[in-house]
């Protein structure tokens, strides 16, 4: 079955459902991105439970899937729920405006440092949600915010999280810079326009964890870094009520058995955040905090060609119609750009090489019993990094414990 001829990039969900609802995965065009809704929901509920174990709020990052339906599952229901989210693009935030209007989302953090050219749009967004937070990791960004507010007569203060550099050097202040930050925040040229909400720590290097205990050590480092920043800030302004927001998917997973007392006295209210956890992927599996059954997404592709005896391992190599654009070029501790996990019996194949539109399957281990996959076979590939992979697809096919399509999710594409 091919894609509907009248499909447009601004996918009409009703059109897609008419074409695909109830179809078996074997009837879908390849490559396609498939999500098991039941596993996605289980993963979401698990993270909300982890936050409860810590006595912390939970802030759900929606950047991995970028969908309304997935966000609703992340927010939870009943006793296990949150009304806080993180977005990486303003397109994600505007796509969730209905949930803000309904009061299901009350607190939105835009996770990039201050983007001067989007400030008016952020002002507009701030009128749609109860609390809008910005991320800050440079002293000059305070001047940008203050100058914009003065020039445009904005009286509402910007509420900011300060990003702390956890050692990955991707973004953030070092703890040694917090005093200078506070002095500038208390300056009359800034304090009327900007208020400090809390400190935000993301241990990206926790992805190198191999055990839950290692991930917990990174979680402790996140908490201690954010807490030290809070303590410094309070020494200069004791009136502050601060948040300590911590988390990366491995550290958030490891929080389920974490003893918070090991962090000592906290000088702010704890908040846990994570984003990849509803999907998971090979990278998360490598941390040993999740298993294959916790991965809710996969790429389905088709075996198009066979090359007997080619390559360094028996029985040879095969070609699938999923390359860089369908899988991403991410690498991780586990080998390959993705691994075949279905159909059963062909798990020794990984995506060993990539071109733009096709991938080369190579044996994982030099196992002479490895069988060639028959041409035309549809294979399920778990990607290394599901966030990057999902971004390649205009929509996701949703299943729920079977190989039948039960829904379509259309992600918010763009910035």
């Amino acid at each position: 079955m091919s894609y509907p001829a009248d499909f447009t990039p601004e996918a009409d969900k009703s059109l897609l459902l008419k074409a695909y609802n109830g179809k078996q995965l074997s009837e879908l065009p390849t490559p396609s991105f498939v999500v098991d809704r039941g596993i996605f929901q289980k993963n979401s509920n698990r993270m909300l439970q982890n936050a409860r174990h810590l006595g912390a709020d939970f802030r759900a990052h929606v950047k991995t899937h970028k969908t309304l339906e997935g966000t609703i599952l992340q927010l939870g229901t009943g006793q296990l729920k949150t009304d806080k989210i993180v977005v990486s693009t303003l397109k994600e935030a505007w796509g969730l405006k209905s949930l803000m209007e309904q009061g299901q989302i009350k607190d939105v953090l835009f996770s990039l440092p201050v983007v001067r050219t989007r400030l008016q749009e952020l002002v507009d967004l701030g009128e749609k949600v109860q609390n809008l937070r910005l991320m800050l990791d440079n002293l000059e960004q305070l001047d940008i915010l203050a100058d914009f507010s003065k020039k445009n007569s904005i009286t509402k203060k910007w509420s900011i999280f300060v990003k702390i550099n956890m050692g990955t050097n991707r973004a953030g202040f070092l703890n040694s810079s917090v005093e200078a930050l506070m002095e500038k925040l208390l300056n009359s040229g800034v304090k009327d326009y900007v208020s400090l909400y809390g400190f935000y720590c993301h241990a990206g290097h926790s992805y190198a964890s191999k055990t839950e205990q290692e991930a917990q050590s990174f979680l402790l480092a996140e908490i201690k870094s954010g807490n030290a920043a809070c303590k410094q800030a309070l020494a200069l302004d004791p009136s502050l009520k601060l948040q300590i927001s911590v988390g990366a998917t491995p550290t958030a997973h490891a929080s389920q058995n974490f003893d918070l007392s090991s962090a000592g006295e906290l000088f702010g209210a704890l908040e846990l955040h994570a984003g990849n956890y509803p999907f998971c992927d090979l990278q998360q599996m490598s941390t040993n905090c999740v298993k294959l059954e916790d991965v809710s997404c996969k790429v389905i592709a088709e075996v198009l060609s066979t090359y007997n005896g080619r390559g360094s391992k028996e029985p040879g190599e095969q070609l699938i119609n999923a390359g860089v654009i369908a899988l991403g070029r991410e690498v991780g501790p586990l080998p390959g750009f993705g691994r075949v996990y279905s159909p059963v019996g062909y798990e020794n194949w990984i995506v060993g090489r990539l071109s733009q539109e096709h991938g080369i399957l190579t044996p994982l281990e030099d196992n002479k019993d490895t069988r060639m996959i028959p041409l035309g076979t549809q294979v399920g590939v778990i990607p290394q990094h599901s966030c990057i992979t999902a971004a390649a697809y205009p929509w996701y096919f949703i299943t729920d414990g079977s190989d039948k399509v039960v829904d379509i999710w259309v992600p918010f594409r763009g910035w």
Side-chain angles (χ1 to χ4, degrees):
M1 185 173 183
S2 62
Y3 292 122
D6 50 354
F7 174 76
T8 62
E10 295 74 33
D12 180 347
K13 181 171 177 174
S14 62
L15 172 65
L16 291 165
L17 281 172
K18 183 178 179 180
Y20 297 116
N21 193 35
K23 297 293 183 182
Q24 297 292 322
L25 295 188
S26 59
E27 301 177 87
L28 301 183
T30 57
S32 287
F33 192 76
V34 178
V35 178
D36 187 307
R37 185 171 61 192
I39 299 174
F40 186 109
Q41 183 163 25
K42 181 195 71 174
N43 292 344
S44 298
N45 291 343
R46 173 187 174 187
M47 200 58 73
L48 290 166
Q49 185 63 57
N50 287 359
R52 173 187 277 190
H53 165 72
L54 286 179
D57 286 344
F58 184 69
R59 187 179 292 273
H61 208 321
V62 304
K63 74 178 181 70
T64 295
H65 57 88
K66 302 177 186 286
T67 65
L68 176 71
E69 297 89 344
T71 300
I72 290 172
L73 294 179
Q74 282 182 284
L75 293 176
T77 59
Q79 297 299 311
L80 282 178
K81 65 179 180 180
T82 184
D83 56 17
K84 296 181 174 184
I85 66 167
V86 194
V87 297
S88 288
T89 67
L90 291 181
K91 194 69 176 285
E92 295 162 33
W94 288 118
L96 300 172
K97 182 165 68 76
S98 63
L99 299 182
M100 300 175 201
E101 293 170 343
Q102 296 162 19
Q104 291 180 258
I105 294 175
K106 296 180 180 178
D107 196 305
V108 176
L109 167 63
F110 180 41
S111 66
L112 286 179
V114 174
V115 183
R116 182 184 55 78
T117 56
R118 308 298 290 271
L119 288 180
Q120 184 56 55
E121 189 176 353
L122 285 161
V123 169
D124 297 339
L125 178 63
E127 295 176 353
K128 304 298 182 184
V129 66
Q130 184 172 318
N131 297 296
L132 175 69
R133 320 290 181 190
L134 301 191
M135 192 76 82
L136 183 137
D137 79 338
N138 187 290
L139 289 178
E140 292 182 24
Q141 293 159 6
L142 289 170
D143 295 322
I144 292 173
L145 293 175
D147 291 346
F148 179 87
S149 292
K150 292 174 191 175
K151 182 178 179 179
N152 294 278
S153 301
I154 305 296
T155 57
K156 185 177 180 180
K157 287 187 177 184
W158 298 99
S159 177
I160 62 167
F161 262 116
V162 171
K163 182 78 174 284
I164 298 296
N165 186 341
M166 283 293 303
T168 58
N169 293 331
R170 181 172 68 177
F173 276 99
L174 295 172
N175 278 93
S176 58
S177 302
V178 171
E179 185 174 343
L181 166 72
M182 288 303 303
E183 289 175 353
K184 185 150 190 169
L185 273 171
L186 295 172
N187 182 283
S188 58
V190 172
K191 67 180 181 181
D192 293 335
Y193 304 101
V194 182
S195 65
L196 177 63
Y197 182 66
F199 294 92
Y200 187 99
C201 298
H202 171 80
H205 44 328
S206 67
Y207 278 58
S209 302
K210 298 298 182 187
T211 65
E212 183 178 279
Q213 290 70 33
E214 285 185 28
Q216 285 178 345
S217 70
F218 285 110
L219 174 59
L220 180 60
E222 287 176 327
I223 295 172
K224 286 190 171 182
S225 294
N227 196 43
C230 280
K231 186 175 182 180
Q232 292 182 70
L234 287 169
L236 293 173
D237 185 356
S239 69
L240 291 171
K241 305 294 182 185
L242 298 174
Q243 294 279 313
I244 306 169
S245 191
V246 300
T249 292
T251 63
H253 276 141
S255 67
Q256 63 184 341
N257 296 312
F258 183 73
D259 181 4
L260 186 57
S261 65
S262 62
E265 180 185 1
L266 296 184
F267 295 92
L270 193 62
E271 173 186 288
L272 186 67
H273 61 254
N276 179 272
Y277 66 96
F279 277 175
C280 295
D281 45 33
L282 286 184
Q283 169 64 70
Q284 298 303 328
M285 287 174 60
S286 74
T287 68
N288 289 302
C289 292
V290 301
K291 299 178 180 179
L292 175 62
E293 55 263 34
D294 299 312
V295 181
S296 69
C297 66
K298 64 183 175 183
V299 170
I300 56 172
E302 191 170 328
V303 178
L304 307 184
S305 195
T306 294
Y307 311 104
N308 289 301
R310 194 178 78 177
S312 60
K313 297 178 182 178
E314 293 292 339
E317 299 179 339
Q318 300 198 267
L319 182 145
I320 60 173
N321 61 336
V324 174
I325 293 177
L327 286 168
R329 200 184 282 277
E330 299 295 298
V331 295
L334 296 180
F337 300 98
R339 182 171 174 178
V340 173
Y341 277 102
S342 62
V344 174
Y346 297 105
E347 297 90 344
N348 197 45
W349 291 99
I350 61 171
V351 183
R353 300 195 305 280
L354 291 170
S355 296
Q356 181 169 316
E357 303 292 356
H358 66 267
I360 299 298
L361 298 183
T362 60
L364 174 61
E365 298 176 3
D366 196 2
N367 183 346
K368 297 185 184 298
D369 293 329
T370 301
R371 294 179 294 153
M372 284 291 190
I373 306 172
L375 296 194
T377 299
Q378 187 187 90
V379 293
V381 179
I382 303 299
Q384 278 285 0
H385 188 172
S386 58
C387 305
I388 299 294
T389 301
Y393 293 84
W395 69 84
Y396 315 146
F397 291 106
I398 308 303
T399 62
D400 203 349
S402 72
D403 283 340
K404 183 180 291 187
V405 175
V406 298
D407 200 3
I408 301 284
W409 292 357
V410 181
F412 312 123
R413 298 172 65 82
W415 312 108

